[in-house]
Amino acid sequence: MSNFIPKLNEIAERVSKFLDTEVAMHDNFQKVVYEAMRYSLLAGGKRIRPVLAVKSAEILGISEEQVMPFAAAVEMIHTYSLIHDDLPAMDNDDYRRGRPSCHKKFDEATAILAGDALLTMAFEVASKGAMKADSHLGGIKAINHIAYCAGTEGMIGGQIVDLKAETEQISEDELKYLCERKTGALLRVPCMIAADLAEKTETQEAKHLLEYADTVGLAFQIKDDILDVEGDIEKLGKPIGSDAQEGKTTFVTIYGLDGSKKILAELTEKALKACDNIKKLCKTEKQHEACGFLRELAVFLLERDY
Ligand code: GRG
């Protein structure tokens, strides 16, 4: 039997330990903001984005120690986006990662500031990583890519188009466009970070890795849309049916449940092919194992129920 899940959990635990140390509690007048940041950041979560960074780094010959600050920065930005997305002005969700969302546990103002603080601190952590990286230029390029993918051409851009999808019918092209940014950008950037640090952005390995990440990114959002229709609240740790309640255009509204599942299966096949292409270019046992792990990750994301 595959030991994929234990391996995934081991990396996720190392990421959580790193985050626990970097986003340490401070016993000062502003300690409530640290409490709120840690409440959301250390509430579990699959840690898919940092895991992608760690495995891409293995394939491109970069140590976990070097990539970890950047991987953690992406997870901090991801967590900030979840905190802000749950606010009444956005998706107005009361539960996240199996517990009351940040603004429910604390209050709206504290949740806004906790999100802002996670975003800001992500760049503090990543820039510390760049100072220690073998390639300082690679570290700076990684920071640049994180900012780009989190910003107006990345996640924020996607979220703005997503808001439009709540009030008006959007086209299939617009839906794909918003997914590539809202969800895809933060799943692509972990592979970019590894390529930057390794100074290998122009290699075939890096290109196949990005193809893998982009395919998985789109599949991830389609699965999310499917789970919003037929997921289990207990397993998901958040309510379902919010898309339909808001009358939002999603993959399920455009292609139906069966159509969406078919596209999801096709995308997963494409991601597996990208893994095989990366593997052909890899030489060491460690690299081959990392390719095998990415294969299993694509299947895990296809089958996930949380
Ligand atoms: C509010 C700035 C801002 C951005 C919002 C990412 C995002 C944009 C909103 C989050 C809500 C959402 C459904 C996003 C799509 C991406 C997605 C499926 C996020 C959930 O990621 P998982 O499943 O969550 O990796 P865990 O909790 O496992 O980390």
Side-chain angles (χ1 to χ4, degrees):
M1 216 181 83
S2 155
N3 58 354
F4 168 75
I5 295 289
K7 276 200 240 163
L8 175 70
N9 290 340
E10 271 171 36
I11 307 170
E13 266 168 43
R14 291 200 292 275
V15 170
S16 297
K17 208 167 155 216
F18 185 86
L19 289 168
D20 189 15
T21 309
E22 288 297 318
V23 188
M25 204 40 227
H26 283 58
D27 191 12
N28 51 17
F29 290 127
Q30 65 269 39
K31 74 176 180 186
V32 68
V33 78
Y34 291 102
E35 277 165 10
M37 291 159 83
R38 288 171 56 84
Y39 173 80
S40 293
L41 190 63
L42 304 175
K46 296 181 285 299
R47 311 293 195 211
I48 298 301
R49 295 153 190 81
V51 165
L52 270 174
V54 167
K55 287 294 159 186
S56 303
E58 260 175 38
I59 289 169
L60 298 174
I62 290 292
S63 69
E64 186 170 306
E65 193 189 349
Q66 275 199 68
V67 80
M68 187 59 91
F70 301 90
V74 175
E75 185 66 15
M76 290 164 76
I77 292 172
H78 167 59
T79 306
Y80 118 73
S81 81
L82 299 179
I83 295 175
H84 282 193
D85 192 62
D86 289 338
L87 287 165
M90 298 255 187
D91 262 8
N92 195 16
D93 280 325
D94 290 353
Y95 284 91
R96 174 67 68 178
R97 291 178 166 171
R99 42 164 86 179
S101 30
C102 195
H103 68 277
K104 283 281 157 190
K105 172 77 180 173
F106 296 87
D107 54 55
E108 277 182 45
T110 308
I112 291 169
L113 289 172
D116 292 343
L118 280 168
L119 172 61
T120 312
M121 201 186 275
F123 289 100
E124 192 182 333
V125 171
S127 52
K128 271 198 282 177
M131 288 183 237
K132 288 189 197 152
D134 287 347
S135 163
H136 293 153
L137 181 61
I140 293 168
K141 283 184 179 168
I143 294 171
N144 178 269
H145 278 143
I146 295 174
Y148 183 84
C149 288
T152 44
E153 289 303 310
M155 185 179 69
I156 298 277
Q159 177 71 356
I160 277 284
V161 183
D162 189 70
L163 291 179
K164 189 174 148 190
E166 283 175 17
T167 53
E168 55 187 270
Q169 176 79 25
I170 57 164
S171 68
E172 190 185 325
D173 280 350
E174 265 181 304
L175 180 64
K176 198 159 166 270
Y177 181 96
L178 90 81
C179 291
E180 280 164 3
R181 283 154 186 80
K182 183 182 93 163
T183 312
L186 282 203
L187 287 159
R188 177 183 173 85
V189 77
C191 302
M192 294 172 98
I193 289 165
D196 288 330
L197 290 172
E199 296 183 346
K200 285 186 179 166
T201 47
E202 295 309 314
T203 64
Q204 276 309 315
E205 292 97 305
K207 285 180 183 157
H208 289 311
L209 262 174
L210 286 186
E211 190 192 345
Y212 168 85
D214 288 341
T215 310
V216 161
L218 190 56
F220 196 86
Q221 184 57 54
I222 296 178
K223 182 74 189 189
D224 206 60
D225 289 354
I226 294 171
L227 286 173
D228 196 62
V229 176
E230 57 172 27
D232 180 313
I233 305 174
E234 292 288 312
K235 285 182 185 149
L236 280 172
K238 60 173 187 178
I240 63 160
S242 49
D243 292 341
Q245 225 169 38
E246 289 161 9
K248 200 166 167 181
T249 311
T250 69
F251 280 93
V252 177
T253 62
I254 293 186
Y255 300 102
L257 259 182
D258 288 344
S260 301
K261 284 179 188 174
K262 190 164 166 271
I263 301 172
L264 181 58
E266 285 164 5
L267 287 171
T268 306
E269 272 309 309
K270 192 175 165 204
L272 297 183
K273 280 211 183 82
C275 288
D276 295 342
N277 286 333
I278 304 165
K279 195 170 175 185
K280 279 184 209 148
L281 299 165
C282 291
K283 294 187 181 73
T284 69
E285 185 61 27
K286 194 176 175 188
Q287 287 172 319
H288 284 181
E289 271 180 31
C291 293
F293 181 94
L294 289 185
R295 258 187 150 270
E296 290 189 87
L297 181 65
V299 176
F300 167 76
L301 294 175
L302 165 83
E303 292 172 351
R304 74 189 169 100
D305 51 16
Y306 65 101

